[in-house]
Every structure is written in C-alpha cells, then in structure tokens.
Amino acid sequence: MNRTDREIWKLLWPVLLLTLAQKLGSAFEGVIVSVNSSDELMTMGICGPYITLITTVSYGIGIAVNSAVGRACAGGSWETSYRSYIKVFVLLAVACGVAISSAAAAMLYPAFDGLADTAARRAEGYLYMLPYLAGSPVLLIYSLLISGSRGLGDARCGMYMTFISVPVQLGVSCIGYAAFGLTGLGWGTLISRLAACLYGAKRFCGMLPDTGGDVPPGGNTLWDFIKLALPVSLSKAVSPTGNALINSLILSVSPLLVSVKGLGGRLEPFFYLPAMAMCSVTVTMVSRERDMGAMASLCRRLCLWSVLPTAALAAAAGLLNGGIWNLIAVDTELAAAGIRYWSVCLWAYPMIAMEMNLTSVLQALGKGFPALAATVIRVWAVQAPLTYVFAKQGAGQSGPWLAYLASNAVSLGMCAIWTYYQIKKQNRRTV
C-alpha cells in the first residue's frame, strides 16, 4: 500500500462506517415494513422519491461545503473568514430546507392518483412523510456539520454523529411502528438526527480557530461556493423528482413493481456504499491537491477504490439473488419480482460507483454543473422516456429496469468525457 492508498484509507474508514450505519437504519425500516404489509410497502415506495429529494439535496449541499472548507483551508482564508462561511452555510440550510419541504409536499399529492383507495393512501403517505417535511432543516444541518468537519480534516466527527444517530433511529422507529404503524416510522430519523447535531455542533465549534474570523473572503469565494452548491443540489433534486414520474409509469404496469423498487431502492446503496464513502474522500483529496500533474494518477486511484468493492458486492448478490429476496419478501410474488429486478439492476451499480467518483472529482475542482447535466440527461432524457416506451409496448416487468441500466450507461460516458477534458484543461493551465 503506497502513500496515496494509506491517505485514502485514513480518510475512508470513518466515512465508510458512517455511511454503512446510515444505510443500515434506512434498510431496517424497509425490511420491517416488507415483512408485515405489502400495502404499506407500496405507500413507502411512492413516498420514497420525496424522502430521497430531501436527504440527497442535503447530501449534495454537504459535498459543496466539504469542497469549500477544504479549499478555504488550503488557500488560507478559513482562519480569517470562517464566520462568514458558517453564516452562509446555515442560511443555505434553512432556506433550502423550507424550499425542499414545500416542493416535496406539493409533488406528493398527485403521486397517489389512480389507486383504488387513493384518499386513505394519500393520508397515510403524508403522515409518514411529516417528520421529513417538518424536519428537513435539521437533516440539512446534520449533513453540513459532518461535511464541514470533514473539510477541516476530522473524518471521525461524522462517524461519531452516526453512531449516536443510528441506535436512536432504530429504537424510536421500532417503537413508532409498533404503536402507530407506518405513520410512526419516520420520527426515528428526525429525533436521531437532532440528537446527533447536538454532539456535532459542540465538536465542530471546538475545531474553529481562535481568530475573529469575520473578515469577508477575498474575491468571489462565497459566490463560487454558491455556484458549486446550487447545481450540485439541483442534481440531487432532479433524480428523485424524475423517479416520482417513473414511479407513476411503473404503477401503470403493476403496483407490485413500485413495491419492489421501493424496497430495492433502500437496499441498493449497500452495493455502492464504498463509492458513496469515497465521494467525500475524493472531494477532500482532490480539493487539497495542488500538483495538477499528479491529478490524473490520483483520480485513477480513487476510481479503483470506488468501483472494485461495488463490483465484488454486486457479483456476490448475483449469486445469492434468490435467497436474499425469498428471505426479505412478504410473499413469493414479491420475491420473484425482486429477483428479476436485481438480475438487471446489479449490472448498473458499478457504473453508478464510477459516476459518483467522477462527479466528485469535478465538484472538488469547482465544477458543479456536470453533475446536474448528467443527472438531467440520465433521468429525464433517457430513463423516463425509455420507461414510458417499455410500459406502452408491454415489455414486461423487466422493462423499467432495462431503462435504468441504459440511463446509467449514458450518464457514465458523459461524466468520463467531462472529467478527462477538465483534468487536461487544468494541466494546461499549470504548464
């Protein structure tokens, strides 16, 4: 293991544990519902894109904060201007939280149209979503504390916050589900994140410099941050809003497929979990790298760390496909549909891992637009139209999953080309 690999591992293992713990909490909720009620699982599947909208936008803003703090530390402006940065981060969290909740609440209403018991399912869906809609600023601040600490070089803060959050989430979710059913499940997420924020805020404040920190950053530093955060956040919002449309198309084929997609969506992050952790590592290392001549080599190394574990996990799941779905599904029909789901979608997960890493490289270089463009093309220009065509042509239950596979192949190709030319451009500037 060379010096670069040791540095990657030093940054990776706390983030990996953090990401694993977070996804265990999400998967746990999905499994609780899947073994008890297929109707509740369908409601959860319909609400899934809107929960994802809230959580992934907070994650996207967190990536921008990580990059901004890392670049400020490397450039020497953090000590003199950290208060200005923090004010922008907090205002952004509150404003985005309110905006995201409002958008999600509005888009959720028509998502239940066409069901036999529309009114009952819609009421159940809103009650299930209530903690996410009301608590989105808390979820954003949780992400910003983790990302800001990581930008300062403290990767363990997020790990400790997660270790506080997940046990609280599991306990409160179990109690809520036992007492109120699906409508009580989401409170575990909000209460657990709030508890973790109390610890994270104290630890983050302890890392701040002793200097005043009120000097406005020079040049267009804050505007550059906003230009990075806005497209990254929009890229995270585009996917779940597109998935809401895709869900409605899949619902016209079979409600069972929405249940499969909802449960599968909670399980699939485990396959590219190393790549999700590597996103933060990539942003940190690339944003601090000042030798542009070594950038291409560093990026290749980071890509290998992202893709190889995902490919291995997907291969293992392919071998155990039937056994896993028969274990977690409430009935044989759901299990059979899940097996078909993975037989196609497992091939997409290494592509997703590679694309995550490439967009993280671009974001660390201050380029947020490519992530937005790739997501728009993947979801709205490829996946949604193909899903519509397959649904109308009667392509069967594998049609939506083939559209998913094709869309990820297209967006990966875009990101690879974009990253290659961006690194080449940076190298020319240093010559």
Side-chain angles (χ1 to χ4, degrees), residues 86-102:
I86 292 173
K87 288 176 184 176
V88 172
F89 298 160
V90 173
L91 287 173
L92 189 64
V94 174
C96 286
V98 173
I100 295 165
S101 294
S102 301

Side-chain angles (χ1 to χ4, degrees), residues 359-378:
T359 53
S360 295
V361 170
L362 291 166
Q363 289 157 14
L365 295 173
K367 304 297 179 182
F369 180 75
L372 174 60
T375 305
V376 169
I377 291 173
R378 180 179 69 249

Side-chain angles (χ1 to χ4, degrees), residues 20 266 285 315 333-334 344 426:
L20 175 61
R266 287 178 175 263
M285 294 190 68
E333 188 179 9
L334 180 63
V344 177
Q426 294 282 349

Side-chain angles (χ1 to χ4, degrees), residues 11 17 62 85 95 108 119 131 156 179 208 224 226 229 277-278 284-285 289 310 331 343 346 410 418:
L11 293 169
L17 289 177
Y85 283 102
L108 182 62
R156 296 189 183 188
L208 296 177
D224 289 341
I226 294 171
M278 280 299 300
T284 300
M285 294 190 68
E289 179 62 59
T310 300
D331 55 49
S343 66
L346 286 175
V410 170
W418 215 315

Side-chain angles (χ1 to χ4, degrees), residues 92-419:
L92 189 64
V94 174
C96 286
V98 173
I100 295 165
S101 294
S102 301
M107 291 187 294
L108 182 62
Y109 189 87
F112 291 92
D113 291 344
L115 297 177
D117 50 350
T118 297
R121 289 296 167 201
R122 181 177 288 134
E124 183 181 55
Y126 271 106
L127 288 173
Y128 169 58
M129 285 284 295
L130 181 59
Y132 297 96
L133 296 174
S136 58
V138 174
L139 302 181
L140 279 157
I141 290 173
Y142 173 84
S143 179
L144 297 189
L145 285 170
I146 292 175
S147 301
S149 300
R150 193 178 297 133
L152 293 174
D154 183 7
R156 296 189 183 188
C157 178
M159 181 180 69
Y160 295 144
M161 287 177 65
T162 304
F163 287 167
I164 293 170
S165 173
V166 172
V168 175
Q169 179 184 356
L170 298 182
V172 175
S173 294
C174 284
I175 294 170
Y177 188 71
F180 304 105
L182 181 65
T183 58
L185 194 63
W187 290 100
T189 299
L190 177 58
I191 294 172
S192 66
R193 299 301 189 268
L194 185 59
C197 281
L198 297 176
Y199 167 81
K202 181 179 179 180
R203 186 174 177 117
F204 181 77
C205 290
M207 292 185 287
L208 296 177
D210 294 331
T211 55
D214 292 315
V215 178
N220 297 318
T221 304
L222 292 180
W223 175 240
D224 289 341
F225 164 74
I226 294 171
K227 287 196 297 183
L228 174 61
L230 185 60
V232 172
S233 301
L234 287 174
S235 73
K236 300 300 180 183
V238 164
S239 184
T241 52
N243 281 333
L245 171 63
I246 291 166
N247 270 358
S248 67
L249 295 172
I250 294 174
L251 193 62
S252 68
V253 178
S254 169
L256 178 67
L257 297 187
V258 178
S259 299
V260 170
K261 186 172 180 291
L263 181 55
R266 287 178 175 263
L267 295 176
E268 71 176 32
F270 286 103
F271 296 101
Y272 44 83
L273 185 146
M276 294 174 70
M278 280 299 300
C279 288
S280 300
V281 175
T282 298
V283 169
T284 300
M285 294 190 68
V286 173
S287 63
R288 292 186 173 187
E289 179 62 59
R290 289 295 174 261
D291 182 4
M292 289 296 111
M295 186 65 71
S297 176
L298 174 61
C299 292
R300 285 193 295 268
R301 205 74 187 172
L302 293 167
C303 286
L304 286 175
W305 275 80
S306 296
V307 174
L308 291 181
T310 300
L313 289 170
L319 294 174
L320 302 173
N321 190 357
I324 293 173
W325 279 97
N326 284 316
L327 179 65
I328 63 175
V330 68
D331 55 49
T332 55
E333 188 179 9
L334 180 63
I339 292 169
R340 284 192 293 271
Y341 171 82
W342 267 6
S343 66
V344 177
C345 292
L346 286 175
W347 293 97
Y349 298 157
M351 300 181 195
I352 295 171
M354 176 67 82
E355 183 179 335
M356 283 180 171
N357 196 74
L358 293 176
T359 53
S360 295
V361 170
L362 291 166
Q363 289 157 14
L365 295 173
K367 304 297 179 182
F369 180 75
L372 174 60
T375 305
V376 169
I377 291 173
R378 180 179 69 249
V379 176
W380 290 97
V382 182
Q383 187 180 0
L386 283 181
T387 302
Y388 175 81
V389 170
F390 287 142
K392 292 300 181 182
Q393 295 299 320
Q397 295 190 356
S398 296
W401 319 143
L402 292 170
Y404 175 76
L405 179 64
S407 66
N408 280 287
V410 170
S411 61
L412 172 60
M414 281 186 55
C415 290
I417 294 170
W418 215 315
T419 305

